[in-house]
Amino acid sequence: MTMTYFPPPPSSSSAPQEGDDLNLRKLVDTLSDHRWLIVSMTGLFLLAGYFHASSQPGIYQADALVQIESQGSNLALMESLGEQQQGNPTSAELEILQSRMVLGETADRQDLAIQVEPRRLPVVGDFLVNHGINQAWFESLTPAFMREWIAGSEDSDWDNPYVWAGESLGVARFDVPDENVGSKHVLRLMEDGNFELLLEEVTLLTGKVGETVQDDALGYRLFVSQVKAHPGAEFILERTSSLNAIKDLKRRFEIMPRGVDSGVYELTLNGADRDQIQPTLDTLTGVFLTQNVQRHSEEAEKQIAFLNEQIPKVSDQLSDAEGMLNDYRAQRDSVDLTFETENLLTRVVEVENQLSELAMREADLAERYRPSHPNYQTLLRQRAQLEAERDQLNAQVNELPETQQEVLRLTRDSQVNQQVYVQLLNQLQEMRLVKAGTVGNVRILDAAMLNPGTIAPRIPLIAGVSGLVGALLATMLIVVRLLLSRAIKTPEQLEELGLPVYATLPDSGEQAGLTERIRPRRSKKAQEVFRGLLAIKKPAEIAVEALRGLRTSLYFAMLESDNNRLMITGASPGVGKSFVAANLAAVCAQAGQKVLLIDADMRRGHLHHAFHGKGVKGLSELLARRIGEEEAIRHSDLKGLDYVARGSVPPNPSELLMQHSFHDFLEAMSQRYDLVIVDTPPILAVTDATVVGKLVGTSLMVVRFDRNPPGEIKAAKRRLENAGVRLKGGILNGVKKPTSSRHGYYGSYLYAYR
């Protein structure tokens, strides 16, 4: 009675197993296994972030403090006339501060439309300059051949066009024709302080530092105020439009309130030009203060002009009224008013004075507002009320005796005109005082001052964030690949596919020392081969011990086989079938068996490298009857182990294997050896394995851990079964911590002749 070592393939309702779903344990193991990838990407991104941040120009900031009062001292006339100011004066002043009127004049005074940019060494120039590398340092650290390569020719000065640390150029005036506004000009320095201005390699101007050069025909004028750079250095000059200069200034300018409703605001201005930031902010605050004072002074001038126009008219009216009153009294022998008439006169005079004030106020409002304005409407309502009251008083006057009525009217006209005249004279004097001492409603509390150090770039923060981004990207990449990977990772997965697992071989670090990459002739893809057998070089390796367990399992499994022949195959290339076949043959020979290892992969077989032999004069020549069995069989250094190399690459490997000579050869070898192991090409690549499988009693398929997906195993198993070959089981090779799969379903079967 025969017995087998393994039980029948388990059903789908097997014991609990590790699934493909992502869990914390699997995630931690995967991240730990790829820790060097995470560390490498973190370091790479950190260095990239540091390089990027260090290549950016330093941004400096200056600040100033201003106070904006809600009301100026020159509004006394409007207050005396009863006009209420509409809106928020502080908000209006803040909008004026950011207007083109203020920013434009600042840009013009500071020549902000002139942009000077030094030409740097490509890619690393800004990084070197920001770290203080000057021309002498770079020359001492750079080999001569590299300096020539940078310059572009052997005859040119290697650092000729580039500007280094400590070099600068000052341009006080740069006028260009309208069509070249925004064009980039090149200013190239020459010997003895001379320079030339070029546009698209065409020389426009030549001159000397400190002298104005111009060409009226071309419309160019240039004044280079100072230069500190080596001859040959190049600077990019650009005259931008006034609008662009204002937009750039506004982008760098910021207003922040200090306190709640304090009227105090902090003004900040930042930029890359350290020497220009503070003067620009000083100019901006000065322009804002000047226009504020001028605007309030203009209001006082308008009020003075209005008063100068009204005073002569009121003076004439006063003279006429007094003359008429005196004449009437003379005619009537000095008529006096009764007590009731005196009270009525007082009230009439008050109303008339108020109407006169409203009339002057209406004349002032008519110059600034439309009749629909709320201030104008309020004035009209007040006037209507006073006119109604005046009509009532006039009705009372009409009830008086005729003499009393006339005296009252004449006295009223005289007093009203006198009060208006005095009031206008007082207001004129007040406006003259206001104009002389106009200070506006804006005060500069703190003049502009440049802050020490730079505010940007924040190199440590940028580098740290970049490193964190690199770590997150690496982690996300690993997790995504883990989620997308459907490759075989556990023996239970193979058993679910109906493939019993005869051995689980751990990944061997020692095997890597025996493996090298070669590029066969007529092949564009490098191939991994191993020179020497792990079972001989490192017999105590854990993978070799696992092969010894496989040897024991095969002894019982092959008892029910028709012959002593074993086929080792795989679904796809690179799964380690040749490694398993060769080292299994070695451990069997070490156990005292006489073993023959046949390399049936006549396309890309490389078992001969393991024995330090050559591939020619092997199986292909034997099957083609060019050599005999004794010549094809080679002895190894291990007693009891012989092998047959693949031979020269034939044009028809499958047809050679189907010949009767191959069957006869295997039959003869089964009589001479205790065990015949045949290494075949991948099942899904070519049909050779199906041909060999019919001639052997036991077939095992090597599955690579985390490389072969279940779909490949099913397809390979189905192809063998359709050809009448029954797989005995599988070998899970290269088991280690979860790693990402490199092959998908029916992955890249790059299998070609060499």
Side-chain angles (χ1 to χ4, degrees):
M1 177 178 180
T2 60
M3 58 180 294
T4 59
Y5 182 77
F6 288 102
S11 62
S12 59
S13 59
S14 58
Q17 63 186 45
E18 180 186 4
D20 289 334
D21 295 336
L22 183 64
N23 54 55
L24 183 60
R25 176 67 177 273
K26 184 186 296 185
L27 178 61
V28 171
D29 288 344
T30 303
L31 294 178
S32 176
D33 190 56
H34 292 82
R35 59 186 178 276
W36 291 115
L37 173 62
I38 298 176
V39 171
S40 299
M41 287 195 66
T42 301
L44 180 63
F45 272 70
L46 191 145
L47 291 176
Y50 175 78
F51 177 80
H52 173 74
S54 299
S55 299
Q56 303 302 312
I59 303 300
Y60 300 89
Q61 186 179 76
D63 59 67
L65 205 63
V66 300
Q67 180 186 15
I68 301 177
E69 299 175 344
S70 60
Q71 192 175 50
S73 61
N74 61 334
L75 301 178
L77 175 60
M78 294 183 180
E79 290 178 353
S80 66
L81 295 176
E83 180 180 349
Q84 299 297 322
Q85 295 297 308
Q86 298 295 319
N88 188 343
T90 302
S91 299
E93 294 295 341
L94 293 178
E95 293 299 325
I96 293 174
L97 181 55
Q98 301 176 82
S99 66
R100 287 198 294 267
M101 175 182 66
V102 175
L103 298 181
E105 185 172 350
T106 303
D108 291 340
R109 291 186 183 182
Q110 291 294 317
D111 294 322
L112 299 183
I114 302 176
Q115 302 291 331
V116 180
E117 178 184 353
R119 183 177 177 184
R120 303 294 192 198
L121 190 68
V123 182
V124 298
D126 292 325
F127 178 83
L128 297 177
V129 170
N130 290 342
H131 285 76
I133 304 300
N134 55 30
Q135 178 184 356
W137 280 32
F138 189 80
E139 183 177 1
S140 63
L141 297 175
T142 307
F145 74 91
M146 185 174 293
R147 297 199 299 267
E148 295 174 357
W149 175 77
I150 292 174
S153 65
E154 297 181 357
D155 298 331
S156 60
D157 189 0
W158 65 275
D159 58 355
N160 199 21
Y162 305 117
V163 179
W164 300 93
E167 298 182 330
S168 62
L169 176 74
V171 178
R173 183 168 186 176
F174 183 44
D175 298 334
V176 302
D178 294 339
E179 61 270 15
N180 288 337
V181 172
S183 300
K184 295 184 180 298
H185 302 72
V186 177
L187 189 144
R188 181 179 298 154
L189 299 178
M190 297 184 293
E191 300 289 345
D192 301 327
N194 295 315
F195 63 84
E196 58 180 351
L197 182 69
L198 303 95
L199 178 63
E200 298 179 354
E201 301 301 328
V202 177
T203 301
L204 303 175
L205 297 174
T206 57
K208 191 176 184 64
V209 176
E211 298 178 358
T212 300
V213 292
Q214 64 183 50
D215 189 326
D216 296 333
L218 296 177
Y220 279 92
R221 177 175 294 180
L222 175 63
F223 179 76
V224 179
S225 57
Q226 62 87 22
V227 64
K228 184 181 179 182
H230 63 275
E234 294 183 357
F235 294 83
I236 309 300
L237 266 61
E238 179 182 358
R239 177 80 184 192
T240 63
S241 64
S242 298
L243 183 60
N244 287 339
I246 294 173
K247 288 181 178 179
D248 178 70
L249 179 59
K250 188 174 183 179
R251 177 182 58 82
R252 299 185 288 116
F253 178 57
E254 188 175 358
I255 305 174
M256 294 176 291
R258 297 281 292 270
V260 180
D261 298 330
S262 64
V264 178
Y265 295 87
E266 182 180 9
L267 312 181
T268 60
L269 181 67
N270 56 65
D273 192 340
R274 176 188 177 93
D275 298 330
Q276 192 183 54
I277 299 301
Q278 181 176 341
T280 301
L281 186 57
D282 260 334
T283 302
L284 193 152
T285 55
V287 170
F288 177 53
L289 177 61
T290 301
Q291 68 81 30
N292 181 267
V293 173
Q294 290 177 349
R295 180 159 48 87
H296 290 123
S297 178
E298 289 174 359
E299 292 180 0
E301 289 180 356
K302 291 180 180 180
Q303 298 300 330
I304 291 173
F306 174 74
L307 293 173
N308 287 331
E309 182 182 352
Q310 296 297 323
I311 286 176
K313 296 180 182 180
V314 176
S315 177
D316 294 340
Q317 293 175 2
L318 176 60
S319 298
D320 294 341
E322 290 178 344
M324 294 175 64
L325 176 61
N326 293 330
D327 292 343
Y328 188 78
R329 285 182 181 275
Q331 294 176 3
R332 299 293 182 175
D333 295 328
S334 184
V335 178
D336 295 326
L337 298 176
T338 64
F339 178 75
E340 292 80 1
T341 305
E342 285 284 352
N343 292 335
L344 184 60
L345 174 63
T346 301
R347 182 57 186 158
V348 169
V349 170
E350 291 178 357
V351 172
E352 290 292 343
N353 285 336
Q354 293 179 15
L355 287 172
S356 299
E357 292 177 3
L358 289 180
M360 289 187 294
R361 184 180 173 193
E362 181 180 5
D364 180 62
L365 291 178
E367 296 182 358
R368 294 183 290 168
Y369 304 120
R370 294 182 179 181
S372 59
H373 193 274
N375 283 0
Y376 211 117
Q377 290 294 318
T378 300
L379 183 145
L380 293 178
R381 286 194 296 269
Q382 292 176 357
R383 188 179 67 179
Q385 293 175 0
L386 292 173
E387 287 177 348
E389 185 177 356
R390 185 185 61 181
D391 293 339
Q392 293 177 0
L393 294 173
N394 287 336
Q396 296 179 18
V397 171
N398 292 333
E399 296 177 357
L400 296 175
E402 180 180 356
T403 303
Q404 291 290 320
Q405 291 183 28
E406 188 65 25
V407 173
L408 187 147
R409 291 190 184 97
L410 294 175
T411 304
R412 176 197 62 188
D413 293 342
S414 176
Q415 291 182 6
V416 168
N417 288 322
Q418 184 178 13
Q419 290 183 13
V420 171
Y421 181 73
V422 172
Q423 184 179 13
L424 291 178
L425 289 177
N426 290 336
Q427 292 175 354
L428 177 61
Q429 184 65 26
E430 182 180 355
M431 285 298 99
R432 286 173 177 171
L433 293 174
V434 168
K435 180 182 177 182
T438 299
V439 294
N441 64 331
V442 173
R443 287 195 304 161
I444 299 178
L445 303 180
D446 292 336
M449 180 174 291
L450 185 68
N451 296 329
T454 60
I455 62 171
R458 301 173 66 179
I459 297 178
L461 177 62
I462 294 176
V465 171
S466 299
L468 180 61
V469 170
L472 291 177
L473 287 177
T475 303
M476 289 176 59
L477 177 63
I478 294 170
V479 172
V480 169
R481 294 186 65 182
L482 177 62
L483 292 173
L484 296 179
S485 174
R486 309 298 299 175
I488 299 295
K489 297 184 179 66
T490 63
E492 288 81 2
Q493 291 177 278
L494 287 178
E495 292 176 357
E496 286 181 351
L497 300 176
L499 195 64
V501 179
Y502 273 69
T504 300
L505 306 182
D507 186 52
S508 174
E510 299 292 342
Q511 179 63 25
L514 303 176
T515 304
E516 64 181 45
R517 297 180 64 86
I518 63 172
R519 187 184 299 277
R521 290 178 297 176
R522 299 193 300 270
S523 176
K524 296 181 179 180
K525 185 177 177 63
Q527 181 181 3
E528 285 189 357
V529 301
F530 55 96
R531 301 184 183 275
L533 298 178
L534 185 65
I536 299 176
K537 300 287 186 181
K538 300 289 182 179
E541 176 71 16
I542 186 172
V544 177
E545 189 61 34
L547 286 171
R548 294 191 181 101
L550 175 61
R551 177 188 64 190
T552 304
S553 301
L554 285 176
Y555 173 77
F556 293 99
M558 295 182 67
L559 290 178
E560 60 183 12
S561 300
D562 297 336
N563 52 57
N564 61 349
R565 298 190 287 269
L566 170 66
M567 179 180 73
I568 302 295
T569 186
S572 60
V575 298
K577 56 181 182 55
S578 298
F579 164 78
V580 173
N583 285 278
L584 177 61
V587 297
C588 290
Q590 289 172 343
Q593 291 181 294
K594 191 175 182 182
V595 183
L596 177 65
L597 177 63
I598 301 175
D599 190 353
D601 187 353
M602 291 181 284
R603 293 175 175 84
R604 301 185 62 186
H606 54 81
L607 281 177
H608 55 278
H609 291 291
F611 300 97
H612 305 286
K614 296 183 178 180
V616 295
K617 294 185 179 181
L619 183 61
S620 61
E621 286 87 356
L622 175 64
L623 297 182
R625 303 184 186 279
R626 297 175 184 170
I627 61 175
E629 294 180 357
E630 298 302 326
E631 188 177 358
I633 298 174
R634 306 178 189 179
H635 302 290
S636 69
D637 295 335
L638 180 62
K639 183 180 179 181
L641 176 59
D642 296 336
Y643 73 97
V644 177
R646 62 152 196 237
S648 301
V649 179
N652 53 348
S654 298
E655 287 75 5
L656 287 178
L657 293 175
M658 295 176 65
Q659 292 181 4
H660 200 270
S661 58
F662 183 57
H663 174 269
D664 294 341
F665 173 67
L666 291 179
E667 287 289 343
M669 296 302 103
S670 296
Q671 301 298 322
R672 293 176 53 180
Y673 292 91
D674 298 325
L675 178 63
V676 178
I677 300 177
V678 184
D679 180 22
T680 67
I683 301 170
L684 297 178
V686 290
T687 61
D688 297 14
T690 60
V691 177
V692 177
K694 293 183 178 181
L695 303 178
V696 300
T698 305
S699 298
L700 295 179
M701 181 166 62
V702 178
V703 178
R704 187 71 178 188
F705 173 86
D706 202 18
R707 177 175 300 183
N708 294 117
E712 281 188 351
I713 307 305
K714 290 180 180 179
K717 186 171 178 292
R718 184 168 51 250
R719 176 172 291 189
L720 290 177
E721 290 175 349
N722 291 339
V725 179
R726 181 178 179 273
L727 277 174
K728 194 72 173 179
I731 301 171
L732 187 57
N733 183 34
V735 176
K736 56 182 178 181
K737 292 181 180 180
T739 57
S740 56
S741 175
R742 291 185 294 173
H743 295 282
Y745 179 56
Y746 284 107
S748 303
Y749 299 116
L750 300 176
Y751 200 80
Y753 289 90
R754 72 175 178 88

